[in-house]
Amino acid sequence: MAENNQANIAVVGATGAVGEKIVNILEDKDFPVGELKLLSSKRSAGKKVMFNNQELTVEEAEPESFNNIDVALFSAGGSVSKKLAPEAVKRGAVVVDNTSAYRMDENVPLVVPEVNASDLQSHNGIIANPNCSTIQMVAALKPIKEAFGLERVIVSTYQAVSGAGNEANDELENQTRQYLNNEEMTAELLPVKGDEKHYPIAFNALPQIDVFQENGYTFEEMKMINESKKILHAHNLPVAATCVRLPFFTSHAESVYVDVEKGGLNVEDIWNVLREADGVTLQDDPSTQTYPTPLSATNKEDVFVGRVRKDLDHDKGFHLWVVSDNLIKGAAWNTIQIAEHLIENKWL
Ligand code: NAP
Ligand code: 12T
């Protein structure tokens, strides 16, 4: 890396929903970027993108693309990461991977900086960015775990369409238009690209995000379950998840139930630890109808928490409503925070 602490950055999937946000945030935050290389598939190669008043040309991602790159941020799907992340590492780059390809690999740190930044200290060239739904949940759970311990977690999600990429946003927009024009809705993508059946998302709710696993859970649900335990260093914590897609574009919402270890707590105790937590903003006041929503959280960095209630039957049970922008904290911003930490601590 250059003496001036500038890093040469490659963004793989730069033309996608996540990649576009990464480029925007690098610019907004004045990130110390030396060279910026924007990579995509052949389809978008040649496309022009403005960065810091300079016109950059998107290139097709190839192994040689990573020569002279310090940090490569991958958001182009798992198969691209499987193929090209090792090529980037071979050429001396550190990879921050936004796909599920390496998350559960025990040699790969899986990091939400507010929760487990110290896991970044030892890596073998690849660091994984967790699943969007997982990131926002563990950001809210970490301070509660630290203060009061956790005995169990049950989550139901209300997830935005943009999690499935730019094409999914187009599908929601088209179906909405069709429905309002009394036309039949065409469903070709959701719930999962390439799966056997497709259902309309507009004016609907789909209890399937990502593919089904043999145990009857979807892969999105299993990602939440397994990744949370890894990030929180709580391998025996019982976690259950139900993941549902709803027809709005951005920001995931989650209803999270926790049993804490400590008895006799009240809502104020939970509020107090959430108020102090990095990256978390408490928005909770029933008397003024104050709580976060997907619209209010969109384009913001933080994880917002509201509707904190004590369970009426279980002394150790609490309910929370957790909302965050799935493309920002759920993907682009968390990825950039990881890169920032690596550069600042000279852990590249
Ligand atoms: P998207 O809008 O569909 O964009 C996909 C991007 O990948 C585009 O830039 C596309 O380039 C590029 N790409 C596709 N095939 C490629 C190939 N063979 N070689 C190089 N680039 C290729 O999807 P997205 O929502 O941005 O998501 C991208 C990936 O990020 C997902 O597959 C997922 O793994 C990950 N992701 C993670 C989270 C998270 O939870 N942290 C959230 C969302 C997404 P073209 O323009 O050339 O097609
Ligand atoms: N299929 O990075 O469809 O594991 O919303 C994130 C979001 C995969 C991931 C989605 C997905 C991921 C989705």
Side-chain angles (χ1 to χ4, degrees):
M1 211 174 84
E3 288 291 314
N4 57 8
N5 237 11
Q6 285 196 337
N8 293 341
I9 309 269
V11 180
V12 187
T15 52
V18 176
E20 285 172 352
K21 286 282 176 200
I22 289 179
V23 174
N24 291 342
I25 297 174
L26 289 175
E27 181 168 295
D28 289 348
K29 295 264 172 194
D30 277 329
F31 195 86
V33 184
E35 184 193 354
L36 179 64
K37 198 171 260 196
L38 303 182
L39 303 170
S40 71
S41 79
K42 211 181 252 167
R43 289 180 294 273
S44 294
K47 200 178 153 191
K48 309 285 183 198
V49 174
M50 291 305 289
F51 180 72
N52 287 341
N53 296 318
Q54 264 187 297
E55 192 180 72
L56 301 181
T57 305
V58 177
E59 296 169 33
E60 183 181 357
E62 291 169 328
E64 294 70 36
S65 309
F66 302 99
N67 292 335
N68 203 31
I69 291 297
D70 300 305
V71 181
L73 309 175
F74 275 73
S75 308
S79 59
V80 176
S81 293
K82 281 273 184 224
K83 195 172 115 202
L84 289 178
E87 298 290 343
V89 173
K90 221 191 277 173
R91 288 167 176 77
V94 171
V95 168
V96 186
D97 183 34
N98 231 315
T99 77
S100 57
Y102 300 100
R103 288 179 190 148
M104 295 312 297
D105 185 328
E106 57 181 71
N107 297 311
V108 173
L110 180 66
V111 175
V112 179
E114 293 87 346
V115 179
N116 62 333
S118 61
D119 287 353
L120 288 171
Q121 245 175 102
S122 64
H123 63 77
N124 296 308
I126 300 179
I127 288 119
N129 190 77
N131 171 262
C132 39
S133 318
T134 309
I135 292 175
Q136 68 184 66
M137 181 171 79
V138 296
L141 291 183
K142 165 72 191 255
I144 298 173
K145 175 173 182 278
E146 288 279 274
F148 308 124
L150 284 181
E151 270 181 3
R152 135 162 251 190
V153 177
I154 301 172
V155 56
S156 296
T157 70
Y158 305 70
Q159 293 185 225
V161 164
S162 61
N166 280 333
E167 286 177 320
N169 283 349
D170 295 343
E171 185 164 272
L172 170 58
E173 205 178 303
N174 290 334
Q175 288 171 353
T176 305
R177 199 172 288 120
Q178 288 167 334
Y179 186 91
L180 295 175
N181 287 334
N182 289 318
E183 293 165 17
E184 197 176 335
M185 293 192 276
T186 47
E188 289 165 350
L189 187 69
L190 292 172
V192 179
K193 189 176 185 171
D195 214 341
E196 211 163 297
K197 287 187 183 171
H198 299 290
Y199 300 108
I201 181 64
F203 304 95
N204 208 359
L206 302 179
Q208 183 190 357
I209 300 183
D210 219 326
V211 290
F212 275 101
Q213 309 293 287
E214 286 207 337
N215 64 3
Y217 286 76
T218 63
F219 190 41
E220 184 80 353
E221 289 159 352
M222 292 314 298
K223 283 181 275 187
M224 287 196 81
I225 292 166
N226 295 324
E227 294 179 21
S228 301
K229 296 180 200 214
K230 177 168 174 176
I231 300 163
L232 292 167
H233 299 169
H235 297 281
N236 298 320
L237 178 68
V239 182
T242 301
C243 292
V244 179
R245 183 94 61 194
L246 289 179
F248 46 82
F249 289 112
T250 316
S251 297
H252 295 339
E254 298 174 347
S255 167
V256 183
Y257 172 83
V258 295
D259 274 329
V260 293
E261 280 171 6
K262 193 170 162 100
L265 298 174
N266 54 38
V267 167
E268 284 75 19
D269 296 313
I270 305 290
W271 276 348
N272 286 337
V273 299
L274 290 172
R275 276 198 196 99
E276 297 299 314
D278 284 343
V280 175
T281 298
L282 184 70
Q283 295 181 329
D284 194 0
D285 184 0
S287 74
T288 57
Q289 289 176 284
T290 299
Y291 42 74
T293 66
L295 285 181
S296 70
T298 292
N299 284 325
K300 306 213 168 76
E301 275 163 22
D302 266 9
V303 173
F304 298 91
V305 184
R307 301 293 329 275
V308 179
R309 282 149 295 147
K310 184 166 170 139
D311 193 83
L312 298 177
D313 298 301
H314 280 259
D315 175 51
K316 294 173 174 180
F318 287 88
H319 301 267
L320 302 90
W321 174 246
V322 180
V323 188
S324 191
D325 188 316
N326 58 307
L327 299 177
I328 296 184
K329 184 57 183 167
W333 173 231
N334 199 70
T335 300
I336 291 171
Q337 282 180 303
I338 291 172
E340 235 171 11
H341 255 83
L342 292 168
I343 294 169
E344 276 170 12
N345 292 295
K346 305 203 186 316
W347 288 342
L348 279 180

